[in-house]
Amino acid sequence: MTECAYCGNEVEYAEPVFIEELRSGMRISTGSFCDYDCLLAYLEARRLAPGR
Ligand SMILES: [Zn+2]
């Protein structure tokens, strides 16, 4: 079972989105998401880092 990295739901029943990042030349799996809404919300939350 794969859980959405944002809302924690299982992603299998929907249309899951998987993303990877290149970090220091290594490909790192960032997470799985139920759909693009969760993906965007997750990226938004990361961008809104404290101290701004
Ligand atoms: Zn989700």
Side-chain angles (χ1 to χ4, degrees):
M1 285 295 172
T2 307
E3 289 182 354
C4 172
Y6 182 70
C7 70
N9 286 337
E10 293 168 12
V11 301
E12 266 81 10
Y13 84 103
E15 269 188 60
V17 181
F18 302 97
I19 59 172
E20 292 179 336
E21 284 181 321
L22 273 180
R23 221 178 264 169
S24 311
M26 285 177 55
R27 200 167 281 168
I28 299 172
S29 177
T30 304
S32 319
F33 302 88
C34 335
D35 52 28
Y36 279 102
D37 284 342
C38 274
L39 171 58
L40 290 177
Y42 176 80
L43 293 178
E44 195 98 338
R46 280 171 99 211
R47 200 177 305 148
L48 297 177
R52 198 182 155 190

